[in-house]
Amino acid sequence: MKKTDEKYMRLALKEAKKGKGYTHPNPAVGAVIVKNGQVIGRGYHKKAGLPHAEREAIKDAILKGYDITGSTMYVTLEPCCHYGKTPPCTEAIIDSRIKKVVVATLDPNPVVAGKGVEILKNNGIDVITGVLQKEAERLNEDFFVYIRKKRPFIHLKIAQTLDGKIATKTGSSKWITGEKSRKYAHRLRKEATAVMVGVGTVLKDNPQLTVRKYPSKKQPLRVLIDKRLKTPLEYRIFDNSAETVVFSSKLASEEKLKKLQKKGVRIIKLPLKEGRFDLKDILRELYRMEVMHLLVEGGKELITQFVSENIFDKISVFEAPKLVGEDGISSIGRLGIENISEALELKIEHIKRLDRDIYLEIYPV
């Protein structure tokens, strides 16, 4: 792998990051066009239904007056080769007489999955794959899970003390972490398709669940788990600042259900199994709604259910240098683990300092 290929692919990845959180259910993709050692075009996928990164980069180069014949394109994901909301990018590359295409990673979508590369090669274009592949796959980790597992990417978010507590024994929790951590948490919301909470969290904190502390052109879908519809109608989760979906059951009041529907809230009734919802039922509904990235913000019971059933892809932990003691409320409830050899193995892939707090990005082994 040439250093120059890595250099230009990093620029393409930088472009791709501009669209992170805005393209769902599509991946975030970036592209740059290089000719005679000069970057002549840049582009990224801005939103589902709008032109893909490759076409944006071609358009950028042409508008700047460059001749892109014989140039090299660097793109973070294999160019598409099918008609969807937009025409195939392979056609645009071939028509532009680009000589070489360097691809970070292949597209896991079965309608592409190597076919895009094959079409380019069959049209006389040199293709190199696997340049900064790990970085490109991490950037679109949610898309890869969404395509391969046919469910949303499950991202658990926890703000806790050094001894793993999310509140004192009285339920006091504002604020465990500092301002910088809370701002970073809003960035996580911006990158998610939907934010999920349980009814206990809503009744205790009355959160709005919107992106306010970080620049964003959109708001995530708010998802509430409330089997009895206990949440008061005037609570902020039902305001008009973002769409809200509530998963409820036959235990809910029909009168309250109708009032919520009049406010524009979508109610999805699901069966209860041993007094609670089956996560797979919820995830199946969210997948149908094209929720690609689900950020689960609590509370303890909901987080514990995802962990105990081993249905999660990433955990973001904001840890404050504070101690509450054993009578505080733990971030994760009982998992039934008796022997340390049965403990859930995780790997910390990223650690970041946020003023006095520590941010950890954790993945299943």
Side-chain angles (χ1 to χ4, degrees):
M1 189 188 301
K2 293 179 182 178
K3 290 289 181 185
T4 51
D5 284 345
E6 287 191 4
K7 171 188 167 184
Y8 292 124
M9 189 59 77
R10 288 195 195 283
L11 292 179
L13 285 166
K14 191 175 179 181
E15 287 295 312
K17 287 173 185 174
K18 294 177 184 176
K20 190 66 181 169
Y22 299 131
T23 63
H24 303 174
N26 291 354
V29 183
V32 298
I33 300 172
V34 178
K35 189 172 183 179
N36 300 325
Q38 180 187 359
V39 175
I40 61 172
R42 301 170 189 255
Y44 68 97
H45 184 37
K46 294 180 174 69
K47 186 181 177 182
L50 293 182
H52 290 182
E54 299 92 325
R55 289 181 178 271
E56 290 282 11
I58 290 167
K59 178 183 171 186
D60 182 51
I62 291 170
L63 286 174
K64 288 174 180 173
Y66 290 108
D67 175 12
I68 56 178
T69 304
S71 62
T72 299
M73 174 178 282
Y74 292 83
V75 61
T76 58
L77 188 72
E78 177 183 10
C80 66
C81 54
H82 64 289
Y83 281 88
K85 290 179 181 177
T86 57
C89 289
T90 48
E91 279 187 9
I93 292 168
I94 293 162
D95 292 344
S96 299
R97 297 167 70 189
I98 289 169
K99 184 181 178 182
K100 180 179 174 182
V101 176
V102 182
V103 178
T105 184
L106 298 182
D107 190 332
N109 192 334
V111 299
V112 186
K115 299 183 187 77
V117 165
E118 188 180 343
I119 287 168
L120 294 177
K121 287 180 176 177
N122 289 343
N123 280 272
I125 296 170
D126 294 333
V127 181
I128 295 174
T129 60
V131 176
L132 300 185
Q133 182 174 340
K134 285 184 180 178
E135 290 90 333
E137 288 181 356
R138 178 63 77 219
L139 176 69
N140 279 309
E141 57 190 356
D142 44 11
F143 174 72
F144 277 68
V145 166
Y146 181 75
I147 293 294
R148 288 171 173 163
K149 297 189 177 181
K150 298 197 182 322
R151 65 159 173 80
F153 176 85
I154 309 302
H155 185 177
L156 309 180
K157 177 235 159 186
I158 299 170
Q160 65 180 32
T161 60
L162 197 60
D163 52 349
K165 306 300 177 183
I166 57 171
T168 66
K169 63 180 180 180
T170 64
S172 173
S173 61
K174 284 191 176 181
W175 294 100
I176 286 176
T177 55
E179 179 63 28
K180 203 165 183 178
S181 290
R182 297 199 293 277
K183 183 176 180 180
Y184 200 88
H186 279 242
R187 174 181 168 179
L188 300 185
R189 285 181 184 174
K190 175 252 176 185
E191 293 182 357
T193 322
V195 179
M196 175 186 280
V197 288
V199 63
T201 297
V202 171
L203 292 177
K204 184 170 74 73
D205 297 336
N206 188 15
Q208 193 172 16
L209 297 182
T210 53
V211 184
R212 300 180 304 282
K213 295 178 181 288
Y214 195 86
S216 182
K217 301 171 197 168
K218 59 98 184 175
Q219 292 295 343
L221 176 73
R222 300 178 293 200
V223 180
L224 171 61
I225 310 300
D226 188 355
K227 62 187 177 185
R228 296 180 187 271
L229 287 184
K230 285 183 178 180
T231 308
L233 293 169
E234 68 274 9
Y235 266 38
R236 295 197 293 172
I237 197 167
F238 298 139
D239 68 19
N240 60 6
S241 59
E243 290 183 56
T244 302
V245 171
V246 180
F247 285 96
S248 197
S249 71
K250 62 182 181 182
L251 301 176
S253 156
E254 283 296 323
E255 183 186 354
K256 194 167 184 181
L257 185 150
K258 287 173 184 173
K259 286 180 180 177
L260 283 172
Q261 287 176 328
K262 279 185 180 178
K263 286 171 71 76
V265 176
R266 181 175 176 183
I267 310 288
I268 299 175
K269 279 192 175 183
L270 291 177
L272 294 171
K273 297 172 184 177
E274 297 179 1
R276 67 181 185 179
F277 295 121
D278 187 326
L279 290 179
K280 288 174 184 173
D281 289 344
I282 292 172
L283 297 180
R284 192 178 301 114
E285 292 293 332
L286 292 176
Y287 178 77
R288 285 178 189 152
M289 295 164 63
E290 296 188 331
V291 171
M292 187 170 93
H293 186 138
L294 179 66
L295 181 66
V296 183
E297 293 204 15
K300 171 184 171 179
E301 285 185 24
L302 191 57
I303 296 278
T304 302
Q305 189 176 357
F306 275 102
V307 172
S308 65
E309 295 183 29
N310 203 21
I311 307 176
F312 67 95
D313 303 290
K314 181 178 182 176
I315 307 177
S316 285
V317 178
F318 296 87
E319 197 163 87
K322 297 175 182 176
L323 298 173
V324 167
E326 67 172 12
D327 55 349
I329 299 170
S330 297
S331 55
I332 296 174
R334 293 183 181 181
L335 298 177
I337 293 168
E338 296 183 2
N339 194 303
I340 195 64
S341 63
E342 300 169 349
L344 199 62
E345 291 280 351
L346 303 168
K347 56 184 176 181
I348 299 171
E349 290 211 357
H350 183 65
I351 301 175
K352 185 182 181 74
R353 187 82 179 257
L354 296 170
D355 286 340
R356 295 177 67 231
D357 302 333
I358 297 293
Y359 170 70
L360 306 170
E361 273 186 4
I362 302 168
Y363 292 84
V365 172

